[in-house]
Each structure stands twice: as C-alpha cells, then as structure tokens.
Amino acid sequence: MKKDEVFEFFRRLAEDNPSPTTELESVNPFTLLVAVVLSAQATDASVNVACRPLFKKVTAPQQMVDLGEEALRDHIKTIGLFNTKAKNVIALSQALVRDHGGEVPRTREELQALPGVGRKTANVVLNTAFGEETFAVDTHVFRVGNRTGLAPGKTPDAVEAKLEGIVPQPFRRDAHHWLILHGRYTCKARTPECWRCVVADLCRYKPKTPPPGEKQTKPKSVRSARPKSSKVRTG
C-alpha cells in the first residue's frame, strides 16, 4: 500500500474501535506475561477461563513459585500444552524472583531470556503493560498483513519489520491490537467478512466475499478458440 493508503487504513480502524486492547485478562504485568505465555496455540477465551481463579490468589512471581508446578497444572489443564506451559511459567517466575527482584523486565532482550517467552510474547508485554510501540505478529496479524497487502512477508519477523517501517503516528502504539481484532472478527481465516469491512476498498484481496445469502460472482471461464477436431475419412 502507498503511504496515504496505510494512514487511511489505520484511521478507519481507529474510528471503528477507538480503544483497542488485548482480550487476555490480567491484573498486572506479571499476570499479563503469564497469560500471554499460556495463550500460545490456545484461544484468549480459554486462557481467561483458566486464569480467572488462578489470578485471584496468584499475582506475583513468588506466589507462583509457592503454588508449584503440580497445582499450576491443575489450574490450566484445560489449555493446550499445559504440561510444558506449567514448567515454563514456574521457571520464568523463578527467574523473575532470582534475576529481576520479582519485577517484569522492560526490555525485549531480558523478556526473551525468560523460559517460554518468544519475540511475540515480549512484544505483547512491552506494548500492553508498558506502552511501547511494538508490533506483535500472531497468526491474525500475519494473515491480515499478507492478505490486505498492508505488510506482506513470508515470516512473522518479515511482517513485523514491514509494520515497523510503514505504520505512522498516531497509530503505532495500538496498531497490532487493531490488526489482531480485525483478523479475529472480520478478516477471518476461512471466510473473511468483506461485506462489512471498513477497509475493503483499500485491501488487495481480490475474491471479496459477499454478504450471507448472496452468491459470489465468478468470472466466466474463457473457452479455447481452437476449433474442434474433425475426423477425416480416408479411402
């Protein structure tokens, strides 16, 4: 997209949703970090259901360490990969107590050094907890960036780099939230709801989906102009 189209793209998303934020529930930076780690290959809704009772009694790293891995597994057993995630959450809690005085660090490098924390998780925490202008690329952001032509890239890192270079102020802090929510509720993976998309005319996706009940028009196939073969009698 051109610069003016990118600005208009985010202006419309901002007008449609002036206060976007993560749908993961948390009470402080530590519980946000835990929730994001648990959300890998799981829905935000499932993480929220598991974490509501957990976060009523555990809101700090030392409390998580005291809870222990077995009890944590019992809290999060409805979430995919809960065994591995429980180990990582206990390990990262221990690291926070040991190396950071029980506080969540505010740099990407320190966050990514924690067990179970990748670049996307670090970007979410930096943005949501500390207001940094980061671009967390999950499956929704990756899809929207490529499908719309906003930030095409073959890898999440490539899409992130493209977003870093093109997203203008005043949209940088909330950009990844708009893209996540747009991908989750409008620009869906299987059937994007183009008929109600506020940026449909800016989008490079060609087979726009029509409203429910309306058939999608497909271009007529062009038949070959080659004449039909004819049998030639001999003898």
Side-chain angles (χ1 to χ4, degrees), residues 92-150:
L92 74 83
S93 299
Q94 292 170 334
L96 290 175
V97 172
R98 182 184 64 244
D99 303 329
H100 301 283
E103 299 294 326
V104 176
R106 300 184 63 153
T107 71
R108 184 183 288 111
E109 293 72 23
E110 290 174 308
L111 283 167
Q112 285 189 247
L114 297 171
V117 178
R119 187 177 181 88
K120 186 199 77 172
T121 296
N123 280 340
V124 172
V125 173
L126 289 171
N127 178 273
T128 304
F130 303 126
E132 299 288 337
E133 294 177 357
T134 59
F135 303 91
V137 179
D138 69 351
T139 181
H140 299 297
V141 177
F142 186 78
R143 180 177 64 256
V144 172
N146 278 284
R147 178 184 278 167
T148 64
L150 174 71

Side-chain angles (χ1 to χ4, degrees), residues 35-55:
V36 179
V37 169
L38 296 178
S39 71
Q41 299 183 47
T43 64
D44 288 2
S46 69
V47 173
N48 290 338
V49 169
C51 287
R52 281 177 196 135
L54 175 64
F55 291 162

Side-chain angles (χ1 to χ4, degrees), residues 24-25 30-52 54-55 58 64 67 72-73 75-90 92 115-118 120-121 125:
L24 288 170
E25 298 172 5
F30 172 68
T31 55
L32 174 66
L33 173 60
V34 171
V36 179
V37 169
L38 296 178
S39 71
Q41 299 183 47
T43 64
D44 288 2
S46 69
V47 173
N48 290 338
V49 169
C51 287
R52 281 177 196 135
L54 175 64
F55 291 162
V58 175
M64 189 67 78
L67 178 68
L72 177 57
R73 279 202 306 268
H75 273 285
I76 66 171
K77 60 187 177 183
T78 56
I79 302 174
L81 306 176
F82 68 92
N83 284 314
T84 299
K85 291 176 180 179
K87 288 181 181 180
N88 285 335
V89 168
I90 295 299
L92 74 83
V117 178
K120 186 199 77 172
T121 296
V125 173

